[in-house]
Each structure stands twice: as structure tokens, then as C-alpha cells.
Amino acid sequence: MPNPAREPTFLPLTMAAAGGAGDEGARAVRDRAESADRAAADCWLSLVAGCTSGRQALITSLHDLSEATCGYAGLRWWLGHGSLHRRRVSDAEHRIDDAVREGDGAEFAEAFIGYDQAVATVVVHVQNRLGKSVT
């Protein structure tokens, strides 16, 4: 059985932030984050092995997570006051895609840090806006 402590984790901030709220929107973000995290681990292993498999699954998972984040934040906020956050999420998502296409592991890891921070920031912002405690 794999040791979870030894499994690569790419979205720890997002999963922690979304796991701290019990509402349906946060659960949707958490579920998508877990799926994207698994896809990232698979893609990372492919990158390390010099393969190109897993790219599309990762991009699809990231897009789904970004969409869930938008849904949680609310479209009106996402397109208005949250537009800076939306751009950060989108830019980081594109950066990950570029890193995978180029086979650049260092860029992949760095881009994931930015993506994780961007999505987690939105989740925490929404929870603060809704008056929910963040654990």
C-alpha cells in the first residue's frame, strides 16, 4: 500500500482551504482539487520518465478545478471584483500547460505553486466574504 506521506502533492493549500468549509461549493472545489492532484502526480511521473502521457487528463482536471472555483466564488464576483484572481488562476493554468508541453519539470513544479496559491486565495476569500471560518 502506498504511503500517503510519500505521494507527491501539488495542491495542498487548495485542498486545505476547501476542506475547511462544509458547504457544497467548497466540497466541489475539494473534489476537483483531489482529482487534479492525482492527475498532476501522474503527469509528474511521466515528466520524470521522459514521457508525454497524462497531459490532457491534467489540463482537463485543472480546467474543471478552475470552473469549480469560479462556481464557488460566484460568476458576478469572478468577472468583476475577482478578475485579478481569475487572471492569476488562468495564467498559472496556462503556465502548467506550457511546462508539460516543453517537458520542463522545474517550470511544472513552480507553476503548480502559483496555481495552488491562486486557487486557495480565491477559496479563502469566498469563505471570508461569506463569514465562514477557515481552518
Side-chain angles (χ1 to χ4, degrees):
M1 180 165 181
N3 181 351
R6 294 180 182 236
E7 295 294 316
T9 303
F10 294 90
L11 298 166
L13 299 174
T14 299
M15 289 194 290
D23 60 270
E24 187 178 324
R27 279 192 299 275
V29 171
R30 171 78 186 201
D31 290 347
R32 298 310 181 285
E34 288 173 351
S35 178
D37 201 66
R38 284 189 301 273
D42 291 344
C43 193
W44 174 253
L45 290 174
S46 291
L47 278 173
V48 171
C51 302
T52 58
S53 64
R55 176 178 172 255
Q56 191 55 50
L58 174 61
I59 298 309
T60 299
S61 293
L62 290 176
H63 180 74
D64 291 347
L65 175 54
S66 297
E67 288 293 315
T69 303
C70 168
Y72 187 50
L75 188 58
R76 185 177 194 179
W77 180 85
W78 190 247
L79 295 175
H81 293 295
S83 62
L84 173 65
H85 297 289
R86 184 186 76 242
R87 280 191 301 276
R88 285 184 60 214
V89 168
S90 178
D91 289 349
E93 193 175 327
H94 285 84
R95 204 169 151 205
I96 292 168
D97 186 36
D98 290 344
V100 172
R101 236 181 300 120
E102 295 168 6
D104 188 337
E107 181 67 20
F108 180 88
E110 191 175 304
F112 251 100
I113 292 168
Y115 184 79
D116 187 31
Q117 288 175 338
V119 173
T121 299
V122 172
V123 171
V124 170
H125 178 80
V126 170
Q127 292 170 350
N128 288 338
R129 197 176 75 212
L130 297 175
K132 298 179 182 181
S133 68
V134 179
T135 55

